[in-house]
Amino acid sequence: MPADLFIVFLALQVVGSILYGGLWPLYWFLLLGPILLVTVLIHELGHSLAARQVGGRVEGILLWPLGGLAFIGHAKGPKADMWVAFAGPLTHIPMTAFWVGILFAATFIAYGTTAIQLAWPHPLTYRNLGVAVCVGAILLNISLFAFNLLVPAYPLDGGRILVDSLLTCGVAERTTALITCCVAAPIAIGIVILGCVKFQVITILVGLWILWSTWQLFDCYRKNMLAQHPMFAFAANQHAAAVIAANQPAVAPSQAVSPYAYGGTAGYQPHVVQGYPAAQHFPPGAGRV
């Protein structure tokens, strides 16, 4: 289903570009087809490798018209998850540098000079098509870097970084969830309005997706079920464990306890709920954007 949706999205973009005539349909096919797919895949691989680095696991990567999802999980806290969130957008830095290098070569081939410009060439011809593709790829990477990292709307990377930052600073889970919803909702509404003004279906869908994710978070908040939400499971379970431990009387151990063993059995590790995503079975939608 996601693959079918991507094909439909790509076809609509290419058909719409026919109105511009010339080589523009080919240009948009290259930019929104293989280049966008590879760019999103590398972005999700950045999240996946960071999750593996903090001891997590990767179940898979989903590519679809609204971007990508990396189905990952780890048992670390907000600080580790912040690194996982940063890792995706950071991949756009070397990708941008790569396309800048290709742009130098394409500009020299097309015009005999290395004086590059971040502007689409007009008119678009077979001679300067490579220049246009490089410029588009550079602007695509810059846009994805800024949108994912600088827009603090959950479930974008910037929204996850906001949640992790608040939890790391000691803000309560419920307060953090409410702040996240209050920040994400107006941003999502603004994105939907922008998409309607510019007649961009993909922008409208992104805004609606952020709204839906924000509603899911708010639903957990109002039902007092944040421990079941992927962004708050680790902190909520740690808090619950601390409350239980504080209410239990201290009991002296009958024998010396090794700091490298739990329950008196060497190598035994206590059960820890996966915080990001929360569920052990990785339910649909509990991915890393």
Side-chain angles (χ1 to χ4, degrees):
M1 185 63 176
D4 295 337
L5 290 174
F6 182 83
I7 293 173
V8 172
F9 161 71
L10 178 59
L12 290 175
Q13 294 292 328
V14 172
V15 170
S17 64
I18 293 177
L19 298 175
Y20 295 96
L23 295 176
W24 287 106
L26 176 60
Y27 166 80
W28 286 112
F29 171 78
L30 294 174
L31 185 65
L32 299 180
I35 293 177
L36 178 60
L37 276 176
V38 172
T39 301
V40 173
L41 177 60
I42 294 175
H43 177 110
E44 300 306 326
L45 285 174
H47 289 309
S48 301
L49 292 175
R52 293 287 297 272
Q53 186 180 14
V54 299
R57 61 178 181 174
V58 180
E59 293 294 306
I61 293 175
L62 170 67
L63 301 179
W64 63 320
L66 299 185
L69 287 173
F71 293 93
I72 58 180
H74 64 79
K76 303 297 183 180
K79 289 183 179 180
D81 191 69
M82 197 182 305
W83 161 240
V84 176
F86 267 113
L90 289 180
T91 61
H92 294 292
I93 297 177
M95 283 193 283
T96 300
F98 169 80
W99 284 110
V100 168
I102 301 298
L103 179 60
F104 274 106
T107 303
F108 182 79
I109 293 174
Y111 306 116
T113 178
T114 56
I116 63 174
Q117 294 182 346
L118 286 181
W120 284 283
H122 292 283
L124 185 62
T125 64
Y126 284 106
R127 180 183 177 185
N128 57 29
L129 179 61
V131 175
V133 170
C134 291
V135 170
I138 292 171
L139 296 178
L140 175 67
N141 275 278
I142 294 175
S143 300
L144 290 176
F145 174 85
F147 184 70
N148 278 279
L149 197 59
L150 302 181
V151 178
Y154 178 83
L156 300 178
D157 294 326
R160 292 177 177 270
I161 292 172
L162 172 64
V163 173
D164 292 328
S165 300
L166 292 174
L167 293 176
T168 301
C169 293
V171 180
E173 292 86 4
R174 288 185 59 81
T175 304
T176 298
L178 186 59
I179 292 174
T180 303
C181 292
C182 292
V183 171
I187 292 177
I189 294 173
I191 292 174
V192 172
I193 295 175
L194 177 64
C196 292
V197 171
K198 293 184 173 292
F199 300 102
Q200 295 177 344
V201 176
I202 191 67
T203 303
I204 297 174
L205 292 177
V206 169
L208 293 176
W209 174 58
I210 295 175
L211 272 178
W212 171 246
S213 300
T214 303
W215 164 252
Q216 288 181 314
L217 174 58
F218 181 75
D219 193 44
C220 289
Y221 168 84
R222 70 187 184 93
K223 293 179 179 178
N224 200 24
M225 297 172 60
L226 286 177
Q228 298 184 19
H229 192 277
M231 282 302 298
F232 293 88
F234 181 89
N237 281 281
Q238 290 290 93
H239 177 74
V243 171
I244 293 174
N247 293 331
Q248 289 181 346
V251 179
S254 58
Q255 58 182 0
V257 178
S258 169
Y260 304 102
Y262 291 88
T265 304
Y268 170 80
Q269 295 292 328
H271 176 73
V272 179
V273 177
Q274 293 288 133
Y276 308 94
Q280 297 288 334
H281 301 290
F282 299 89
R288 160 71 57 198
V289 179

